[in-house]
């Protein structure tokens, strides 16, 4: 018997984007207020999981054709590249740098290389949690 | 030529043996080997004149200079005598083996490689002046003799004998190493000569007795003294040339060498005198008694070897007693050292020939069982003559070398009764009595060996082969040794001056400074004194007992097999094997629960023990924050959910209670102002509860019995113990806080240095980003692990079905 889940699907369409935006917000805010790559990653995952619950794994795979194993590998690479970039500038491993830039649209903003590292963390968390959930979900 | 190099010459030659065996297989490999010991013997003989004058040779090869370890070849009277025995008898044994071992049927390359290895090891043992290199060569003798005993490795008995001798001699070797290390610590040097030079200071040291006992253990195991002699009879499974060489003339004398070499250091101690003399004499009597029970020719010889080694050992002990006598030169105490060395030479000579004769009999009749042999006198006249000379020398009959040394042995033992130190005056009378009984049995088994083999009725029907005289090549070596026995009797003083006295001067440097000072002159006739009548008594009683041997020999069978030392060894081996097995199985149950019990109990015992021993527990209530209402409420919820987990009947309840615990912890994070932690905790708890539910859903139906966790008192006690322990540790740690926290630094620099506001996140990605880097690596590994677990089910049977 096919159940009618139109309410779930409709709500999901709205809620997913709210969650995603909250995730992005909490990721970028991490350096000054609670949040960061880890929480951001987990929230993003929860958004995708919500999609999966509402539309099924196969549909989500079609709209988000991401290989999550590769995603976590990319995240790890970004993290380690950020950490080792400092060697090029003849400073110890894992030395971060930051400065203030006048960006269009944002005005004066501080940019920190720790953000790049956090991107790595974010990608790994999304990649790994999604790998786990997808693998278990597809298991017969 | 460097003396050190000469030690290694045989083992270097051993590298070429397989080549010679392969390329020149038509010629018996032994002929090539023979050249080496013969050449070495000639070279060492050229050293004789200078050594007999009291000189010495030394040569050194650095090995590990930074640890002060070197190969030092030191040749004085004692080591030269042994070197000559090793190379001389070595040459004869190789000659004998050429005719004994068939070049087509035997693996000659193995045999001669092992033999040359052994020769290097023995030369190294007797010439090394450095304790560590002495130990190295000592173990090499154990290993090469292990290989030689197990030469016919397809036979069970050979392997058993090889293993047994290995176990016992290596045990002794390791004990000896301990003694050497103690000596090295005491004296600050590993050189034996330097240790001897400072012998008086060593005697007072705390380690002295330990070093003494450990080194004696090494010497006793190697020289087959009581109770370690049991490996030697089993080592008779080796080819006869090996038995003749290793187990009569050389290896078993390594222990005697060791005792002789260390006499100058340890003789000052009465323990040494008592142990060496006592064990030696007891071994002599014990082994000569059991020799008569043996039915195997080589068995008789094995026990007789043990007995003779005991005799020499007791003489070495008596020579150490001379250290305690004032004005020793005028007394009979001077005889002991001389007799020891003299008998050592005699024994090497006659026992070598006897073993070779036993090998000939085995070779020509096909059996060594003395009950099947008999009446070979007319069939094998030359072997008989050789055996008779050897056995009569062993029994101590004139006109053979053994007579002279046996006389001196009795003299030395009688002299011990005059000794008035350490209770010798009361117990000393036992020494000559025991020595006399041992000599009587020696007399009997010597006759038993010869006459039960060669005299009596010939029993050709029981022999596997038709008995006939051995080829001349096989008889050469034993004949040569038999002639030596006679020569030693004819010119004892020449042997004494050239070989024995330099060795005695090396053993007793505290009495003599040069070999000429040794005041012993071997005479055939001492006059009608105590020893003379003792000898007559030995001959008379021995002859009578031998005459009636058949009547009382059966009484040996009455002795229960269960009480022998061999049985003890077997049981020990069985126990250490099966016992260790059973012990492991006792605690290695295979249940994770047991291992957790061990671990937790040890945590509790160690931590609480440390608290008690160091009086470390402290509690300080001053520095505590006030407890608010929220904390109390959340704590009650937490405790409630925890108890629910423990006592819930259904697993589902437990999982949900666990979730409750997780969320309350998140609440704690909130009220303790850790927003990042609270966020993460909430999400992670949700995910893990979901995963738990997943695992719960797939539980197999059969074992899904919903029942309460069984109560076990042990578990409860341990859980309580761990909880209490950790609480105490936490309280004590909180009370003893010594250094201020580092967090002030983070607070001050988070904006100025790191350009951030969220301390937690800045610590994670900047101050200590290293940890984060590897934590995300851990996450990645977990993900890959789950993929492999789920996708790669190679071992499951269903997967195989799918593939079909």
């Amino acid at each position: 018997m096919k159940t009618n889940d139109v309410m779930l699907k409709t709500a999901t369409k709205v809620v997913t984007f709210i969650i995603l935006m909250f995730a992005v917000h909490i990721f970028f805010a991490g350096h000054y207020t609670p949040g960061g790559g880890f929480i951001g990653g987990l929230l993003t995952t929860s958004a995708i999981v919500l999609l999966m619950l509402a539309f099924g794994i196969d549909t989500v795979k079609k709209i988000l054709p991401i290989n999550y194993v590769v995603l976590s590998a990319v995240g790890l690479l970004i993290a380690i590249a950020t950490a080792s970039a400092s060697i090029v500038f003849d400073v110890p491993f894992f030395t971060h740098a930051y400065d203030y830039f006048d960006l269009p649209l944002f005005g004066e903003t501080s940019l920190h290389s720790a953000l790049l590292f956090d991107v790595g963390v974010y990608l790994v968390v999304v990649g790994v949690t999604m790998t786990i959930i997808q693998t278990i979900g597809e298991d017969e | 030529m460097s003396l050190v190099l000469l030690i290694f010459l045989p083992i270097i030659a051993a590298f070429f043996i397989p080549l010679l065996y392969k390329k020149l297989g038509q010629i018996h490999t032994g002929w090539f080997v023979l050249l080496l010991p013969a050449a070495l013997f000639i070279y060492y003989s050229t050293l004789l004149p200078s050594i007999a004058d009291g000189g010495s040779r030394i040569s050194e090869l650095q090995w590990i200079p930074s640890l002060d370890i070197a190969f030092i070849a030191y040749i004085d009277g004692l080591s030269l005598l042994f070197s000559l025995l090793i190379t001389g008898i070595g040459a004869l044994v190789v000659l004998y083996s050429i005719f004994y071992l068939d070049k087509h049927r035997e693996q000659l390359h193995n045999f001669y490689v092992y033999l040359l290895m052994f020769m290097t090891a023995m030369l190294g043992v007797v010439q090394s002046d450095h304790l560590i290199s002495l130990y190295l060569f000592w173990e090499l003798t154990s290993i090469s003799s292990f290989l030689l005993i197990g030469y016919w490795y397809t036979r069970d008995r050979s392997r058993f004998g090889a293993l047994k001798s290995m176990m016992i001699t290596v045990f002794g070797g390791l004990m000896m190493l301990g003694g050497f290390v103690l000596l090295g610590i005491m004296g600050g040097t590993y050189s034996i000569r330097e240790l001897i030079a400072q012998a008086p200071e060593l005697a007072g040291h705390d380690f002295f007795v330990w070093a003494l006992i450990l080194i004696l253990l090494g010497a006793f195991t190697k020289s087959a003294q009581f109770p370690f002699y049991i490996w030697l009879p089993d080592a008779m499974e080796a080819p006869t040339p090996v038995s003749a060489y290793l187990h009569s003339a050389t290896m078993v004398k390594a222990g005697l060498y060791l005792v002789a070499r260390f006499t100058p250091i340890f003789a000052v101690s009465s323990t040494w005198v008592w142990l060496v003399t006592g064990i030696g004499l007891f071994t002599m009597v014990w082994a000569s008694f059991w020799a008569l029970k043996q039915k195997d020719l080589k068995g008789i010889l094995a026990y007789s070897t043990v007995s003779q080694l005991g005799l020499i050992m007791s003489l070495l002990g008596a020579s150490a007693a001379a250290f305690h006598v004032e004005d020793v030169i005028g007394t009979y105490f001077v005889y002991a050292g001389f007799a020891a060395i003299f008998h050592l030479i005699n024994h090497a000579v006659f026992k070598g020939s006897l073993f070779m004769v036993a090998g000939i009999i085995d070779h020509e009749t096909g059996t060594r069982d003395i009950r099947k042999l008999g009446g070979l006198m007319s069939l094998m006249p030359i072997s008989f003559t050789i055996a008779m000379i050897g056995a009569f020398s062993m029994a101590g009959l004139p006109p053979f070398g053994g007579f002279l040394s046996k006389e001196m042995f009795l003299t030395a033992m009688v002299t011990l009764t005059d000794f008035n130190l350490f209770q010798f005056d009361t117990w000393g009378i036992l020494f000559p009595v025991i020595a006399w009984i041992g000599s009587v049995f020696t007399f009997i088994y010597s006759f038993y060996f010869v006459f039960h083999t060669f005299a009596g009725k010939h029993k050709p029907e029981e022999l596997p082969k038709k008995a006939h005289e051995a080829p001349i090549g096989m008889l050469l070596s034993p004949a040569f040794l038999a002639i030596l026995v006679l020569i030693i009797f004819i010119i004892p003083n020449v042997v004494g001056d050239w070989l024995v006295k330099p060795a005695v001067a090396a053993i007793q440097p505290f009495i003599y400074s040069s070999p000429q000072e040794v005041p012993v002159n071997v005479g055939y006739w001492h006059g009608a004194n105590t020893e003379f009548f003792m000898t007559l008594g030995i001959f008379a009683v021995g002859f009578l007992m031998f005459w009636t041997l058949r009547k009382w020999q059966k009484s040996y069978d009455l002795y229960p097999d269960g009480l022998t030392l061999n049985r003890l060894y077997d049981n020990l081996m069985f126990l250490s094997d099966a016992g260790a097995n059973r012990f492991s199985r006792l605690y290695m149950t295979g249940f994770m629960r047991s291992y957790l019990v061990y671990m937790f109990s040890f945590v509790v015992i160690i931590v609480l023990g440390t608290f008690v021993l160091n009086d470390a527990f402290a509690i300080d209530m001053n520095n505590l924050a006030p407890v608010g209402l929220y904390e109390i409420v959340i704590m009650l919820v937490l405790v409630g959910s925890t108890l629910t987990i423990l006592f819930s009947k259904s697993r589902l309840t437990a999982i949900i209670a666990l979730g409750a615990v997780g969320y309350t912890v998140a609440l704690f994070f909130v009220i303790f102002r850790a927003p990042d932690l609270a966020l993460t905790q909430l999400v992670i708890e949700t995910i893990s509860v979901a995963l738990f539910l997943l695992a719960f859903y797939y539980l197999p139906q059969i074992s899904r019995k919903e029942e309460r966790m069984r109560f076990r008192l042990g578990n409860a006690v341990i859980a309580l113990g761990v909880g209490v322990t950790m609480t105490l540790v936490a309280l004590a740690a909180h009370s003893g806080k010594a250094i201020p926290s580092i967090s002030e630094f983070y607070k001050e620099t988070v904006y100025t240095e790191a350009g951030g506001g969220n301390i937690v996140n800045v610590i994670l990605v900047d101050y200590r980003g290293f940890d984060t880097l590897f934590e995300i690596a851990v996450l990645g590994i977990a993900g890959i692990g789950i993929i492999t677990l789920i996708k790669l089910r190679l071992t499951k049977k269903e997967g195989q079905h799918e593939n079909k």
Side-chain angles (χ1 to χ4, degrees):
Chain A
M1 193 193 98
K2 204 165 157 55
T3 46
N4 188 344
D5 51 2
V6 69
M7 279 169 73
L8 174 65
K9 285 184 177 173
T10 314
T12 303
K13 282 174 192 165
V14 182
V15 171
T16 302
F17 288 101
I18 298 174
I19 298 177
L20 276 179
M21 277 192 309
F22 182 54
V24 170
H25 163 76
I26 219 165
F27 168 73
F28 279 109
H31 218 55
Y32 293 98
T33 53
F38 202 83
I39 303 291
L42 286 174
L43 282 174
T44 312
T45 310
S46 65
I48 302 173
V49 169
L50 185 60
L51 279 179
M52 283 179 167
L53 287 175
F55 298 98
I57 286 184
D58 293 332
T59 323
V60 177
K61 263 188 168 175
K62 239 175 263 163
I63 42 171
L64 291 172
I66 300 168
N67 185 339
Y68 292 107
V69 181
V70 173
L71 191 72
S72 26
V74 169
L76 269 176
L77 273 179
I78 292 175
I80 199 143
T82 317
S84 19
S86 56
I87 299 176
V88 180
F89 301 102
D90 203 22
V91 283
F93 183 67
F94 231 120
T95 309
H96 283 302
Y98 72 98
D99 209 342
Y100 295 91
F101 298 95
D102 199 14
L103 296 177
L105 216 66
F106 291 101
E108 189 180 291
T109 319
S110 80
L111 284 184
H112 201 302
S113 61
L115 184 75
L116 270 176
F117 183 74
D118 238 6
V119 171
V121 175
Y122 175 87
L123 291 179
V124 171
V125 170
V126 174
V128 169
T129 40
M130 282 316 295
T131 309
I132 293 172
I133 289 164
Q134 217 173 46
T135 321
I136 294 177
E138 285 173 344
D139 182 39
E140 297 301 313
Chain B
M1 202 189 293
S2 164
L3 289 168
V4 179
L5 200 72
L6 286 184
I7 294 180
F8 287 102
L9 209 54
I11 213 168
I12 294 167
F15 283 102
F16 300 99
I17 296 299
L19 200 73
L20 289 170
Y21 178 73
K22 231 17 184 221
K23 297 286 169 198
L24 298 167
Q26 313 87 306
I27 309 168
H28 197 287
T29 318
W31 289 112
F32 303 110
V33 179
L34 179 60
L35 298 174
L36 186 83
L40 281 176
F41 181 77
I42 293 167
Y43 175 76
Y44 285 128
S45 307
T46 60
L47 297 178
L48 266 176
S50 62
I51 302 293
D53 280 342
S56 64
R57 297 289 177 85
I58 191 157
S59 131
E60 191 173 326
L61 177 72
Q62 284 297 331
W63 178 18
I64 313 174
S66 56
L67 293 179
D68 189 25
I69 295 180
F71 291 111
I72 304 174
Y74 174 68
I75 293 198
D76 60 356
L78 189 63
S79 38
L80 183 64
L81 166 68
F82 272 92
S83 305
L84 285 173
L85 279 180
I86 291 159
T87 50
I89 296 192
L92 293 173
V93 161
V94 171
L95 179 66
Y96 176 76
S97 72
I98 292 172
F99 296 94
Y100 187 84
L101 295 172
D102 189 273
K103 74 177 167 206
H104 298 298
R105 267 175 303 169
E106 302 286 351
Q107 297 171 310
L108 291 177
H109 51 312
N110 288 354
F111 181 79
Y112 288 113
V113 166
Y114 301 159
L115 200 73
L116 288 172
M117 212 164 111
F118 175 77
M119 206 177 282
T120 284
M122 263 325 282
L123 285 175
V125 165
V126 299
Q127 292 185 10
S128 284
D129 183 54
H130 195 281
L131 289 177
I132 301 300
S133 61
L134 171 56
Y135 171 72
L136 176 88
F137 288 119
W138 185 274
E139 291 300 24
L140 192 58
T141 63
S142 295
I143 291 165
S144 47
S145 98
F146 168 77
L147 291 169
L148 283 167
I149 297 168
Y151 172 67
W152 286 312
Y153 53 82
T154 48
R155 301 182 187 172
D156 274 345
R157 295 292 309 166
S158 293
R159 294 200 303 271
F160 175 75
L163 187 65
K164 191 173 182 179
S165 71
M166 181 85 163
M167 296 297 278
I168 294 177
T169 52
V170 167
F171 161 75
L174 286 173
M175 296 296 119
M176 191 186 80
L177 177 65
F180 282 178
V181 171
L182 287 183
L183 261 187
I185 294 170
M186 283 155 62
T189 171
Y190 280 113
S191 160
I192 299 173
R193 280 170 306 132
E194 289 169 28
L195 283 168
I196 289 175
Q198 48 174 305
E201 294 99 84
L202 294 181
H205 204 283
D206 289 344
F207 294 155
F208 185 74
V209 176
W210 287 106
L212 185 158
I213 287 170
L214 288 174
I215 288 177
L216 270 189
L217 267 178
F220 285 171
T221 49
K222 198 67 146 190
S223 276
Q225 298 297 298
F226 187 88
F228 306 113
Y229 69 88
I230 49 172
W231 64 266
L232 206 144
D234 281 308
M236 290 301 126
E237 294 303 320
T240 305
V242 173
S243 312
Y245 189 37
L246 273 69
H247 308 129
S248 70
T250 53
M251 186 176 91
V252 287
K253 299 221 161 77
L256 298 176
Y257 168 80
L258 199 73
V259 169
R261 183 53 89 197
F262 285 94
T263 295
I265 298 178
F266 292 118
V268 60
S269 149
S270 60
T271 321
W272 176 269
V273 179
W274 267 111
L275 274 178
V276 178
T277 319
I279 300 275
L281 264 186
F282 186 72
T283 310
M284 182 208 170
V285 130
W286 177 268
S288 64
F289 179 68
W290 290 110
L292 283 165
K293 187 178 192 278
Q294 307 306 312
K295 304 290 186 286
D296 177 13
L297 282 185
K298 280 174 90 177
I300 302 171
L301 290 179
Y303 274 90
S304 87
T305 303
V306 174
S307 160
Q308 303 280 315
L309 291 170
L311 189 159
I312 302 171
M313 194 64 91
S314 68
L315 281 172
L316 286 173
S319 78
F323 184 85
H324 302 271
V325 181
E326 280 178 39
D327 212 10
V328 69
I329 301 229
T331 64
Y332 281 117
F333 280 102
V334 293
Y335 277 97
F338 191 92
I341 298 299
F342 195 48
H343 194 70
L344 195 147
I345 300 173
N346 275 327
H347 177 250
V349 172
F350 69 66
K351 193 50 66 64
S353 75
L354 284 177
F355 265 111
M356 289 176 189
V357 169
I360 287 172
I361 294 168
D362 186 17
H363 210 264
E364 304 308 334
T365 65
T367 183
R368 296 195 315 241
D369 192 330
I370 202 160
R371 287 166 299 187
K372 297 181 183 168
L373 297 165
L376 296 176
M377 198 189 289
S378 53
L379 292 168
M380 309 169 75
I382 307 176
S383 311
F384 168 65
T385 315
I386 297 166
M388 200 179 66
I389 294 174
F392 282 6
S393 180
M394 180 156 74
L397 285 174
F400 306 104
F403 169 70
L404 302 171
S405 47
K406 188 59 80 61
E407 286 289 281
M408 278 190 278
F409 166 61
L410 293 175
T411 310
M413 288 301 132
V414 171
T415 316
L416 275 183
T417 51
D418 300 340
F419 201 42
N420 51 7
L421 274 174
F422 10 97
Q423 291 102 44
F424 266 75
D425 43 352
T426 42
W427 294 100
I429 189 69
L430 277 178
F431 286 91
V433 171
I434 294 173
W436 187 83
I437 297 172
S439 301
V440 170
F441 277 102
T442 307
F443 185 91
I444 306 169
Y445 71 64
S446 304
F447 273 56
Y448 173 59
F449 177 79
V450 180
F451 290 110
H452 282 222
T453 313
F454 289 100
K457 221 170 99 256
H458 186 45
K459 289 166 269 186
E461 67 284 352
E462 286 194 36
L463 299 180
K465 284 187 193 170
K466 200 177 167 315
H468 58 83
E469 186 57 278
I472 183 76
M474 213 185 237
L475 288 168
L476 266 178
S477 303
F480 185 75
L481 287 171
I483 293 167
L484 263 185
V485 171
L486 285 169
I487 291 178
I488 290 176
F489 181 78
I490 297 166
I491 48 160
N493 285 316
V494 178
V495 178
D497 287 341
W498 287 78
L499 290 171
V500 182
K501 285 184 182 174
V504 173
I507 301 178
Q508 300 179 315
F510 41 82
I511 305 178
Y512 319 111
S513 53
S514 82
Q516 286 84 16
E517 291 177 26
V518 181
V520 181
N521 203 9
V522 188
Y524 303 113
W525 175 249
H526 299 294
N529 49 15
T530 326
E531 300 94 274
F532 176 71
F533 291 114
M534 281 172 84
T535 313
L536 282 187
I538 290 167
F539 292 164
V541 176
F543 194 72
L544 259 174
M545 285 178 77
F546 172 67
W547 201 252
T548 53
L549 179 64
R550 296 231 188 256
K551 294 198 176 68
W552 56 272
Q553 198 181 21
K554 288 186 193 73
S555 56
Y556 276 106
D557 299 332
L558 298 177
Y559 189 80
D561 277 341
L563 279 177
T564 56
L565 284 165
N566 280 319
R567 185 59 66 90
L568 182 72
Y569 170 85
D570 291 341
N571 286 342
L572 261 179
M573 285 294 126
F574 176 76
L575 272 184
S576 52
D577 188 11
N581 218 330
R582 201 176 304 159
F583 180 65
S584 305
R585 241 177 281 149
L586 199 70
Y587 69 92
M588 300 285 280
T589 54
F591 292 114
M592 199 54 87
R593 177 184 171 272
S594 322
Y595 305 147
L596 289 175
V597 165
Y598 306 149
M599 286 190 245
F600 286 130
S601 332
F602 271 95
V603 166
V604 171
I605 291 166
I606 289 170
V607 175
L608 288 189
T610 315
F611 265 148
V612 174
L613 284 181
N614 296 343
D615 198 17
F617 183 70
I619 190 156
D620 176 16
M621 290 295 195
N622 291 326
N623 209 7
L624 298 182
V627 181
L629 182 64
Y630 292 129
E631 282 102 327
I632 293 172
V633 173
I634 297 175
M635 179 60 78
L636 286 177
V637 177
L638 190 65
V639 170
S641 352
T642 312
L643 289 175
T644 315
I645 297 174
L646 288 179
F647 296 108
S648 68
K649 197 176 165 197
S650 114
R651 287 201 174 85
L652 200 58
T653 321
I655 292 170
I656 290 164
L658 191 65
V661 170
Y663 287 129
T664 30
V665 170
L667 275 183
F668 266 121
F669 288 148
V670 171
I671 56 170
F672 288 141
R673 277 161 285 173
D676 294 270
L677 287 183
L679 273 171
T680 316
Q681 172 70 20
L682 279 173
V683 183
I684 288 295
E685 193 59 41
T686 314
I687 292 177
S688 49
V689 167
L691 289 175
F692 268 124
L693 288 172
L694 189 73
F696 170 75
Y697 181 74
Y698 284 108
L699 275 181
Q701 292 296 330
I702 313 158
S703 62
R704 214 171 181 174
K705 279 181 286 180
E706 296 281 308
E707 58 182 31
R708 191 161 283 131
M709 199 164 60
R710 260 177 60 209
F711 180 78
R712 287 181 208 251
L713 187 67
N715 286 6
V717 168
I718 288 172
L720 206 68
V722 173
V724 169
T725 308
M726 286 307 139
T727 314
L728 292 180
V729 169
L731 286 175
H734 181 264
S735 310
K737 199 173 274 182
I739 353 170
S741 166
I742 196 177
S743 53
E744 287 305 314
F745 168 76
Y746 293 139
K747 257 192 237 169
E748 283 160 18
T749 59
V750 66
Y751 190 77
T752 52
E753 297 275 329
N758 179 355
I759 293 187
V760 174
N761 203 40
V762 171
I763 288 176
L764 282 180
V765 299
D766 195 343
Y767 291 121
R768 306 188 56 178
F770 224 144
D771 298 353
T772 314
L773 184 62
F774 288 101
E775 273 153 24
I776 57 176
V778 167
L779 263 184
I781 292 165
I784 293 167
I786 285 172
I787 292 180
T788 27
L789 275 179
I790 290 178
K791 299 253 157 121
L792 301 175
R793 288 176 185 161
L794 297 178
T795 50
K796 280 228 172 165
K797 284 203 172 144
E798 295 136 35
Q800 283 168 357
H801 275 292
E802 279 167 18
N803 289 341
K804 279 176 190 170

